[in-house]
Each structure stands twice: as structure tokens, then as C-alpha cells.
Amino acid sequence: MRTSSIIAVVIGAGLAVAGCATPTTRDQIVKVPAACENLTVQIYFEPDSSEVTTEGQAVLNQAALQAKPCKVNRVLVLGLADAVGAPAASLEVSKKRAASVTRALNATGLPAAEFDLAAAGQTGAVNAEGDARLLRRRADITIELSNP
């Protein structure tokens, strides 16, 4: 009985060790960092405001953090407005939104890059049926990245 107990312990230990497979290939040992791919985010604004909200700042902070290990080639910022109010006023607020997003991104420590700012105002705020498109009080931000 003593021999069978020893064999059972050895077999049990062998099975336990077999369950803990050790990496055997380079791909299992070396973790290759993810490729730096372009990031696109949107942040939203209160009506008639160009001030980046707390939630918007959190989105920008996260985007800057994701971009940190990469080379930032260019940042595209498009300010948008809804179909409420005069077209000239909507264009002006969308320009201010693009500018405030740029300042907020610079404050995050995003590496220096070329910023392309654009403003669409009310353009595209109404669909072909004449209905107002939802969620137009925003800025669309694309951070173009490449591997360092």
C-alpha cells in the first residue's frame, strides 16, 4: 500500500505541474506592443457653450493617455453645432468648440503635433427629410498616430 500511495502522490504532482504550462515559443514569452492606430473620439457640449465639460475632459485625457506611447502626426478637430439659432452664430460657436478642444488637448500633455481645426456650424445638422440630427453639439477629434 505504501508504494501505491507514493505513486498516487507522484501522479497527482505531475498532473498539477502539467496544468501550469510554461511558455515555449517567442510569441508566448515576448509581448509585442499594440500598433499605434488612429484614435477618433467625440465630446459633447452644453447648448450655446464652447466650454469643455468634465466628461469631455475625461475623454480627452484618456485619448492622450492612449496616444502617449505613439508618435502623434496630426490632430484633426471639427467643431459642430445643432440647427438651433442663426447659422452665423452656430458657425461661431463651432469654431470656439474646436479651439477649446485644442487648448484642452494641449493641457493633457499630448505630444506636439500639427492641429487642423475646422468648424461646420449647422452644415449637416438637418437630414434630407428636414429633421434635426441628434447630438450635433459636439467636436469630433481624430488623432493620427504612428509607431515611434
Side-chain angles (χ1 to χ4, degrees):
M1 279 215 231
R2 197 167 205 229
T3 305
S4 62
S5 295
I6 293 172
I7 292 173
V9 169
V10 170
I11 290 173
L15 290 173
V17 170
C20 299
T22 54
T24 56
T25 67
R26 181 181 185 282
D27 290 341
Q28 291 173 324
I29 296 169
V30 178
K31 300 289 184 206
V32 178
C36 292
E37 297 178 2
N38 295 349
L39 296 171
T40 299
V41 296
Q42 297 176 330
I43 64 167
Y44 297 89
F45 295 86
E46 295 296 324
D48 300 319
S49 174
S50 61
E51 183 179 331
V52 176
T53 64
T54 303
E55 294 84 4
Q57 188 62 55
V59 169
L60 296 176
N61 290 343
Q62 182 61 37
L65 186 63
Q66 283 182 263
K68 191 173 186 172
C70 304
K71 179 180 181 223
V72 179
N73 300 313
R74 189 166 66 151
V75 180
L76 308 169
V77 182
L78 174 62
L80 300 163
D82 56 24
V84 177
S90 293
L91 182 59
E92 189 59 32
V93 77
S94 63
K95 286 178 183 178
K96 288 179 180 178
R97 287 174 179 165
S100 69
V101 166
T102 300
R103 286 189 301 276
L105 274 173
N106 281 328
T108 66
L110 185 71
E114 175 184 337
F115 277 79
D116 261 339
L117 278 64
Q122 291 182 358
T123 304
V126 178
N127 65 20
E129 291 77 33
D131 298 324
R133 294 184 192 262
L134 301 177
L135 303 175
R136 283 284 299 194
R137 292 185 311 264
R138 69 174 195 268
D140 296 340
I141 303 103
T142 299
I143 304 173
E144 294 181 354
L145 303 171
S146 61
N147 291 323

